[in-house]
Amino acid sequence: MNNIKNVFSIKDLENLSGIKAHTIRIWEKRYDILQPMRTDTNIRLYDLASLQKLLNITLLHDYGYKISKIATYPQDKIPSLVREIISNKTAKSHAISELKMAMMNFDHQLFFKTYNWLIAEKSFKEIFHQVFIPLMNELGLLWQSDTITPAHEHFITYLIKQKVLINTEKVQILQPTKTDKVFVLSLPMNEIHELGLMYLNYEILLQGYKSVYLGESMPIDNLKELKKHFDSIVYVSYLTVQPERDFLNEYIQKMTEELLDESTELWYIGRLVEFINQEKLPERISTFNSIAELVDRI
């Protein structure tokens, strides 16, 4: 898992492109669209150039181009056609493909080029919801299937975090316009998956509220300190892998006992939310299945 990948199996190509391995084999046999390397045992292997070509072919195919026609194009015409047909309809899939290539190549310049192209046409909020969230959802599956390594995931996540921080600073310097409550954002102990919480911080500030961002591995006892400074608090926790499932409801109970009263609310989001015992939750505790759902509640 710690070796950097630059050679891929046909299953990797399937995971990255969404094109079934069986279909890729047919395209190779009938149209010679890819020329895989072969191991001594005749197993197909592909390089980064093959991955890039397949991602471009996938976009053209989705746009209505027949694979038999694509196969006749010179090598440089396929990326040229992709650039020509990019529109709002295809921008999302093309951007995600480009960001995947940036990740696989550890190419920050391609990341910035793709982001700058997007931000010229869309708001940062639209980019995060339409491109970054689907990309991060895919990365989880790619990591689980051993298609990418932790190095790939950390590389692309760090670049996205940079963009979140830059855009957060722009709204953070503004005076809050809503004063009925303050949001306090934190992660449980040993929880390091911070990107979703960072984006929620941006959204809360964008809505005109004051947000106190505390980040990862925050003890519950420390959260109590905020009650000395603010009258009405919404504590927001992003539960991705911590606390462990066996201790999840115990953790929720402790937060309830330590923090919840008539002037506070507890909001939970993340993969672990589905395992919270909803029947026993007090009225001032809310759970959310997505970032969009929580943002709508702000």
Side-chain angles (χ1 to χ4, degrees):
M1 278 295 291
N2 289 322
N3 294 324
I4 305 305
K5 258 188 159 175
N6 52 26
V7 177
F8 307 92
S9 68
I10 195 167
K11 190 64 179 178
D12 291 335
L13 261 62
E14 175 181 309
N15 292 334
L16 286 159
S17 69
I19 303 297
K20 294 293 186 183
H22 175 69
T23 302
I24 295 173
R25 290 190 190 97
I26 291 174
W27 287 359
E28 284 178 9
K29 185 175 182 179
R30 292 183 183 173
Y31 307 111
D32 196 32
I33 63 163
L34 298 176
Q35 295 78 42
M37 301 171 282
R38 299 274 184 168
T39 67
D40 293 340
T41 54
N42 208 34
I43 295 175
R44 290 173 169 85
L45 293 176
Y46 303 82
D47 59 14
L48 282 164
S50 295
L51 172 59
Q52 176 74 81
K53 185 177 182 181
L54 180 61
L55 291 172
N56 283 335
I57 288 172
T58 301
L59 188 142
L60 292 178
H61 189 254
D62 289 345
Y63 199 75
Y65 283 74
K66 293 185 180 298
I67 192 66
S68 56
K69 184 68 174 176
I70 297 172
T72 66
Y73 295 149
Q75 188 74 15
D76 59 349
K77 185 171 182 178
I78 293 175
S80 176
L81 273 175
V82 167
R83 288 191 293 270
E84 288 176 13
I85 68 171
I86 293 171
S87 62
N88 284 333
K89 182 178 178 181
T90 59
K92 172 185 169 181
S93 58
H94 177 69
I96 291 174
S97 292
E98 289 295 279
L99 293 176
K100 284 179 185 176
M101 285 307 304
M103 174 183 67
M104 302 311 297
N105 281 308
F106 298 98
D107 185 347
H108 65 274
Q109 291 180 331
L110 179 56
F111 175 91
F112 293 136
K113 178 182 176 182
T114 305
Y115 178 83
N116 290 338
W117 163 66
L118 286 168
I119 203 66
E121 303 293 334
K122 299 175 179 292
S123 68
F124 177 69
K125 180 172 181 173
E126 288 173 326
I127 293 171
F128 198 91
H129 284 270
Q130 295 174 18
V131 178
F132 287 160
I133 288 179
L135 175 64
M136 297 309 293
N137 287 339
E138 280 196 49
L139 293 191
L141 298 174
L142 293 173
W143 186 86
Q144 289 173 27
S145 63
D146 203 21
T147 303
I148 63 173
T149 69
H152 292 113
E153 183 183 11
H154 286 203
F155 174 80
I156 199 73
T157 300
Y158 174 72
L159 292 173
I160 294 173
K161 283 181 178 180
Q162 280 187 316
K163 293 305 178 185
V164 175
L165 287 171
I166 289 169
N167 284 276
T168 298
E169 185 177 20
K170 293 176 182 177
V171 290
Q172 201 167 31
I173 61 176
L174 303 176
Q175 189 70 21
T177 58
K178 299 174 182 176
T179 58
D180 57 304
K181 54 192 171 187
V182 171
F183 288 83
V184 175
L185 284 67
S186 67
L187 299 178
M189 293 299 295
N190 303 314
E191 177 62 80
I192 59 172
H193 294 81
E194 201 173 4
L195 179 57
L197 193 73
M198 290 173 64
Y199 179 73
L200 287 177
N201 186 45
Y202 164 78
E203 284 277 9
I204 290 165
L205 293 166
L206 189 66
Q207 296 285 345
Y209 282 102
K210 181 177 179 62
S211 175
V212 179
Y213 188 87
L214 301 179
E216 61 187 64
S217 289
M218 184 56 52
I220 295 174
D221 287 345
N222 289 13
L223 295 174
K224 293 168 65 175
E225 176 69 21
L226 279 296
K227 300 181 79 170
K228 300 176 183 178
H229 299 268
F230 304 108
D231 294 329
S232 182
I233 299 176
V234 178
Y235 290 98
V236 181
S237 296
Y238 214 112
L239 314 177
T240 303
V241 296
Q242 293 292 334
E244 295 179 9
R245 281 175 56 179
D246 290 345
F247 303 101
L248 175 62
N249 287 293
E250 180 182 324
Y251 176 80
I252 300 298
Q253 181 61 33
K254 184 176 181 183
M255 285 196 74
T256 302
E257 293 171 356
E258 296 288 333
L259 301 174
L260 193 64
D261 56 33
E262 67 280 354
S263 66
T264 62
E265 294 181 56
L266 303 180
W267 290 9
Y268 298 102
I269 186 173
R271 296 176 192 166
L272 291 175
V273 161
E274 64 176 302
F275 304 109
I276 294 175
N277 188 342
Q278 302 282 341
E279 296 179 0
K280 296 183 179 181
L281 291 183
E283 184 178 339
R284 296 178 69 83
I285 296 181
S286 302
T287 61
F288 303 89
N289 295 315
S290 67
I291 287 177
E293 185 183 344
L294 190 149
V295 169
D296 286 342
R297 176 76 175 275
I298 297 173

